Amino acid sequence: MTILVDQNTRVICQGMTGWAGTHYSAAMLEYGTRIVGGVTPGKGGTYHLNLPVFNEVADAMRETGANASMVFVPPENAAAAMIEAIEAGMPLVVALTERVPVQDMLRVRAALKQSSTVLVGPNSQGVLSPGVCKIGVMATGSERKGQIGILSRSASLTSEVIAQVSAVGLGQSTTVGIGGDAIHGLSMRDCMQLFLADRDTHGVIVIGEIGGSEEQELAELLTEIKPDIPIVGLVVGRHAPTERRMGHAGAFAQSAANDAQSKINALEEAGVIIAKSPHLVGQAIREAMAVSV
Amino acid sequence: MKLHEFQSKALLSAGGIGVPEGRVALTAAEARDAAAALGATKIAVKSQILAGGRGLAGGVQLVSTPEQAGVAAAAMLGRTLVTEQTGPAGSRVNRVLIETAVRPVRNLYLSLSIDVASAEIMVLAGAEGSEDIERRLQSGETRLERISMGTGNALAEDVAINLAKRIGLVSSDLPSAFAQLLDQLRRIFVELDATLLEINPLAVTEEGGFVAVDAKMIIDDNALFRHPELVALRDEHDDDAVELVAQNRQLNYLRMDGNIGLAVNGAGLGLATLDMVYAANGKPANFMDIRTTATSLDVAHGFTLLLNNPAVRSILVNVHGGGMQPCDTIADGLGIAMRRTGRTCPVIVRLAGNNAEYARFRFANFGCKVIDCPDMWTAVTRATSAAQSNGERL
């Protein structure tokens, strides 16, 4: 088993006829992902990568039976594309677009409130279940099918951790890039719940970083439910350079300490095994799995 | 993109918000003339830097004559102002704002910002605006009232009026004037894609009007494509000019004070590398995250910055090639920069992921001598010891 995607995932690509949509759709088809069509307004009725193109997400869903969409639409129209998929009732939307304006994301989040869609991203590298389904821009080759779930805010660090996990002889059930932007869809907390509900995920690695308070919210969940599988954490940014601040009382009002050490402390108190260094995550999960077996 | 006070006030004024009459001066003589033109008996001379805490650091002076304004400006211009928000390096003052000082009946606090947790626009209002509001909030001396503005649609009038009353605006027309002000600010915030709009203090005048005595605005960099007119407001003479040019080259570059030049693809891996360098007792000369959208020429620009920094004793390149940016793009950038600058210094690389092997061929083709390490920690420790031995020859 996996989370978010499985062998029955049928994917459409919003923005498939653009450069990024074409390039990454082709790579995903090669990986074995079942891409069943694309959406580009004005190009409905044509074919691209030998797949049918539709004007609207709703048409594509009806005609192809798609149950997931990936958004490769440029920032100018990315939020509108996400909202269209959400309103069409698409179960899973993975938004790969970077640099989506934050006020646009407020509208996307408002649309999500009234729907059952799970949005991953934006600014996500995607979702990968080795050998099953890849929706995203990540390189493949070092992943292995297995029982470790990986949940991350950072694409490059996820690639690194996947390689470390495979190198110690373990594999991944699913890896999820929840996205690097402050305002995004699926939260760390919700993603962890999906992993904990998956029978075939036997351990989880959480990769956090400075900023926001999602690691603390995740820690609250873990304290509450005390999962019976090992959770390994890595939080980076302990020594991040301080930028000049345009300080304001709003930042104060949001209050939650967003530095690395506060996050590490919160996760550690919730029972998460903190990797001693970014190069020791593979070792940490191997040791944790050996103990739990 | 942070805006200067004078820029924020111009945008507020265009949106119908009251601001003090004022002019920007680049020299003491201009400051004196500007003060004379205002014809006021109480004049504020305000350093224009992109950080807060100016007043408490001596960056704002109140004077009574144009001559005094000139003297105050002369003391500020060209100097580096260090405030609690600039960091120890401070910010150079290139301009002053000369304004008619406002005589407030009361000073309020008002801001609009993005609340990450709720994904909504948050309004914060306080009965007592002041420059040290963060400290006063922390100590509990004052408090702020908070309401949500959702995604930026107009508030129901009674919600705004209720907020006005909660911050002590009760008499006559003040609550409805406040509601109108808040709606004007909402329009400005939404139309300009702001992420912060803070007015502190917001003066209530004897006539029952509102004047923004100070203003801070930050515009969402990701939304600048919608606002070409705002791009021109970017301060190219700011201390961060090098960082701004790097931004345009798809590089997140920040100067630091150590001796190891750092280049990493991706912010998360970059932060991880920084942490490891410190753990190995190394000192980074910079943080540089190469965005996935950077081309090899962009990457070359970044490496040129590193190679031209005389403080750099070794260069550490930590790359995990992803689907969007293979290792060879980074290798080409480094090769171009090394040829261009002609500088030799130990270059320690860790290459993994997409096209790592091909990147090694690229290094060879460029004639780049690099120390190729099998894993991150080896690379970090090698770069640290190379920097400490004062740039050993290869």
Side-chain angles (χ1 to χ4, degrees), chain A residues 7-53:
Chain A
Q7 59 276 17
N8 299 317
T9 302
R10 297 167 66 83
V11 189
I12 56 161
C13 178
Q14 291 176 259
M16 185 168 68
T17 57
W19 180 87
T22 304
H23 178 79
Y24 294 109
S25 294
M28 281 177 252
L29 285 165
E30 199 175 313
Y31 192 80
T33 304
R34 290 172 73 186
I35 303 179
V36 294
V39 175
T40 300
K43 293 198 178 169
T46 65
Y47 281 79
H48 190 69
L49 299 173
N50 289 325
L51 294 167
V53 178

Side-chain angles (χ1 to χ4, degrees), chain A residues 98 102-103 160 237 244 247, chain B residues 2 85 91 220 238 240 350:
Chain A
E98 289 181 52
V102 66
Q103 291 203 22
E160 173 65 31
R244 279 183 301 160
Chain B
K2 295 171 192 165
Q85 296 184 9
S91 285
D220 182 2
D238 186 54
D240 293 341
R350 193 296 296 246

Side-chain angles (χ1 to χ4, degrees), chain A residues 246, chain B residues 2-14 19-26 46-50 54 77 92-99 212-217 232-238:
Chain A
M246 193 173 243
Chain B
K2 295 171 192 165
L3 298 183
H4 282 294
E5 178 191 8
F6 74 93
Q7 296 170 325
S8 304
K9 283 179 168 172
L11 293 169
L12 288 176
S13 179
V19 299
E21 197 184 340
R23 291 169 186 215
V24 174
L26 300 171
K46 308 179 83 176
S47 309
Q48 298 295 291
I49 59 166
L50 294 173
R54 295 170 301 162
L77 287 164
R92 189 184 145 93
V93 180
N94 295 318
R95 299 181 190 81
V96 289
L97 176 61
I98 309 296
E99 278 187 343
V213 176
D214 194 6
K216 284 178 187 163
M217 261 180 109
L233 297 181
R234 178 154 266 168
D235 186 351
E236 303 291 347
H237 301 292
D238 186 54

